[in-house]
Amino acid sequence: MRIFGLGLMALTLLIRPVMAQEISSYSLENGMDVIVIEDHRAPVVVQMVWYRAGSADEPAGVSGIAHFLEHLLFKATDDLAAGELSDTVAANGGSDNAFTSYDYTAYFQRIAADRLELVMKMEADRMRDLRLTVDDIATERDVILEERNTRTENSPDALFSEQRRAAQFMNHRYGIPIIGWKHEMQQLSLEDALAFYRRFYAPNNAILVVAGDVQPDQVLTLAKKYYGPLAPTADLPKRSRPTEPPQLAERRLTFVDERIAQPYVIRTYLAPERNSGDQKQAAALTMLADLLGGSAQTSVLGRKLQFETSKAVYTSAYYGGQSLDETTFGLVIVPSQGVGLAEGEALLDQAIGEFIKEGVDADQLERIKMQIRASLVYQQDNVQAMAHEYGSALTQGLTIQDVKDWPKVLQQVTAEDVIKAAELLLDKNRAVTGWLTNPTAQKEASQ
């Protein structure tokens, strides 16, 4: 009976269309984009406002200002006291938060559908009418510095990651941590925050995504009422970042920290991102990551290095395809006890070479396609996940049609596409290889 149930579920997933929600899109006269995702199964709504401005859009010398401003947006406005927006949302049974990435900053509220107008009014108020003080800057700067101390300074893995990324992106601002370099964070000022706010926080640089139990015309009416009167930034510059020079040699680094209990090797390659209208290569890289490093029991690296030879306790492969500019593809191996990092790295290279020579297991490729299709279907059960999917895509150079096409593009990937994508992993001149280890292991490796 259980087997029949699983088979029936799989058949249902094959038949059920992916991305079945109704998607409506509009543009206000001031340039603000509005996306409405209808889902009437529960009387809940998620409002998200996405700004096409993340840490990679920061001016030189003020790293961390995008994330700092995210914190500051919860301070006072013309009409709201500091903290009032979050307090009001909570008092109405909802939740709110914000997050910053390299390519965007986003703010959201999840609340009962009949409270949409309430949260839209407050969110619109802080888009143009933030009122900051010198005291706000001092207080919140201490908060973000403590956040960096907790998440980065006290974590050798995080410090190692920062150093690797800086080596990967020598010229592009993807090489600078989202939270900022500590010495620059300490100098962030009121003027820095206001300059970033005035430049990027404008309706013509924002996308409103509303998902849940709403009608498109209702959302559009409210958007016109609250966001429509906001003045656009007249001289909003075209989004432009420094580009990477050609990488001509492999880059390597070793990070030694006595707190590391389990040394490991990680290699990341510069890789193409998902591009609007042409997502085929990104889809092949997505499949490649799953084939190489998905399930430990069935993936190529898991089988070869963890189960068949017991040379590794953990392996992984990953690809961050959704990115405005060039991204990375990564490989990880945590060698077993008694296996050094040099041997572990050699075994990783050997496994990749064998995979390219042997080709793709057709059955495994089909299983992964089914798993991805299932995950995309299940994602539709979460209106916030759907709002995030569209908001992040649109701020990273993709279109609504690209998001709709993505499941189909993934299903069309062939074994030949995957092997062609895997040839990227043979070119170490596009890679950064990092060893994270401890003094004892480092000493043993040098003997």
Side-chain angles (χ1 to χ4, degrees):
M1 188 69 181
R2 185 175 181 180
I3 294 174
F4 172 77
L6 291 173
L8 181 61
M9 182 176 70
L11 181 61
T12 300
L13 292 174
L14 279 171
I15 297 172
R16 181 180 175 183
V18 179
M19 303 297 183
Q21 280 97 342
E22 289 295 325
I23 312 294
S24 303
S25 64
Y26 311 94
S27 290
L28 303 184
E29 290 184 4
N30 59 11
M32 187 174 190
D33 294 322
V34 179
I35 310 299
V36 183
I37 305 169
E38 293 182 69
D39 188 326
H40 301 290
R41 290 174 296 176
V44 175
V45 66
V46 173
Q47 175 186 231
M48 305 189 82
V49 171
W50 297 75
Y51 293 96
R52 297 181 181 90
S55 66
D57 299 291
E58 297 167 341
V62 290
S63 63
I65 193 63
H67 173 252
F68 188 30
L69 184 59
E70 175 213 311
H71 280 242
L72 292 170
L73 232 70
F74 291 87
K75 300 299 183 181
T77 69
D78 281 352
D79 299 325
L80 298 169
E84 184 178 350
L85 186 150
S86 295
D87 290 344
T88 302
V89 171
N92 281 271
S95 60
D96 76 311
N97 214 326
F99 47 89
T100 305
S101 186
Y102 290 105
D103 296 323
Y104 53 73
T105 309
Y107 302 82
F108 70 89
Q109 302 86 33
R110 181 184 177 93
I111 202 163
D114 62 0
R115 304 292 196 276
L116 175 60
E117 183 169 7
L118 172 67
V119 294
M120 191 177 288
K121 179 180 179 181
M122 293 189 295
E123 189 64 73
D125 185 50
R126 64 177 173 177
M127 181 178 287
R128 282 308 216 182
D129 293 333
L130 189 63
R131 293 295 174 258
L132 298 177
T133 68
V134 173
D135 288 343
D136 291 334
I137 298 300
T139 301
E140 211 60 39
R141 189 170 53 213
D142 287 343
V143 172
I144 62 169
L145 285 168
E146 181 56 32
E147 184 178 341
R148 181 179 168 88
N149 286 336
T150 301
R151 297 184 178 181
T152 305
E153 303 296 337
N154 293 330
S155 169
D157 290 273
L159 291 170
F160 176 50
S161 179
E162 277 191 348
Q163 295 298 306
R164 286 188 299 100
R165 198 164 181 93
Q168 188 99 65
F169 295 97
M170 297 177 63
N171 196 46
H172 195 288
R173 290 192 66 84
Y174 285 168
I176 297 172
I178 294 170
I179 198 168
W181 297 119
K182 187 173 184 178
H183 67 285
E184 292 185 348
M185 294 168 66
Q186 291 169 333
Q187 305 301 319
L188 294 177
S189 68
L190 175 61
E191 291 72 22
D192 296 328
L194 290 176
F196 197 83
Y197 176 69
R198 290 165 179 160
R199 182 179 187 184
F200 292 115
Y201 279 57
N204 54 328
N205 198 43
I207 302 167
L208 170 65
V209 182
V210 176
D213 189 21
V214 293
Q215 297 294 337
D217 56 349
Q218 167 207 11
V219 174
L220 181 59
T221 297
L222 291 175
K224 287 180 177 178
K225 179 179 179 180
Y226 292 108
Y227 293 106
L230 302 179
T233 295
D235 57 348
L236 184 68
K238 183 179 179 181
R239 233 170 164 187
S240 178
R241 280 89 169 268
T243 56
E244 279 295 297
Q247 183 176 338
L248 304 178
E250 181 186 12
R251 299 167 191 164
R252 303 184 66 90
L253 70 156
T254 300
F255 194 98
V256 182
D257 192 295
E258 61 185 7
R259 294 170 290 181
I260 295 300
Q262 183 67 66
Y264 63 84
V265 179
I266 179 170
R267 182 185 298 139
T268 51
Y269 300 79
L270 286 175
E273 74 282 7
R274 282 171 63 182
N275 287 309
S276 183
D278 182 13
Q279 304 181 87
K280 183 177 179 179
Q281 189 173 13
L285 288 166
T286 300
M287 292 294 180
L288 175 64
D290 266 329
L291 284 164
L292 289 178
S295 166
Q297 290 76 22
T298 60
S299 67
V300 171
L301 297 180
R303 284 188 292 101
K304 288 179 178 290
L305 302 179
Q306 294 178 244
F307 290 95
E308 292 177 7
T309 64
S310 298
K311 292 291 187 177
V313 296
Y314 175 80
T315 56
S316 179
Y318 61 91
Y319 168 63
Q322 196 165 293
S323 176
L324 185 60
D325 299 317
E326 197 168 32
T327 185
T328 57
F329 188 102
L331 301 168
V332 180
I333 180 170
V334 181
S336 299
Q337 188 70 30
V339 179
L341 294 184
E343 182 182 356
E345 183 181 341
L347 289 167
L348 186 66
D349 286 333
Q350 180 181 334
I352 297 298
E354 290 173 354
F355 168 73
I356 293 175
K357 183 178 180 180
E358 295 166 0
V360 176
D361 183 311
D363 290 339
Q364 180 64 0
L365 179 59
E366 288 308 309
R367 280 194 293 271
I368 288 174
K369 286 183 177 182
M370 172 62 78
Q371 291 166 2
I372 289 176
R373 182 173 177 82
S375 70
L376 291 172
V377 170
Y378 293 141
Q379 179 179 293
Q380 294 184 78
D381 290 332
N382 186 326
V383 292
Q384 188 161 326
M386 292 297 293
H388 190 284
E389 175 73 11
Y390 279 91
S392 60
L394 294 174
T395 52
Q396 293 179 304
L398 300 175
T399 66
I400 292 175
Q401 192 60 49
D402 292 326
V403 178
K404 290 181 176 180
D405 289 344
W406 180 237
K408 180 177 66 176
V409 176
L410 287 169
Q411 296 302 312
Q412 292 173 343
V413 172
T414 66
E416 291 74 19
D417 295 332
V418 172
I419 294 301
K420 184 176 180 180
E423 292 173 357
L424 164 77
L425 308 183
L426 299 176
D427 185 6
K428 292 185 181 179
N429 286 341
R430 290 180 61 83
V432 173
T433 303
W435 289 12
L436 181 63
T437 188
N438 56 52
T440 300
Q442 176 71 358
K443 183 177 180 180
E444 291 174 352
S446 62
Q447 291 177 347

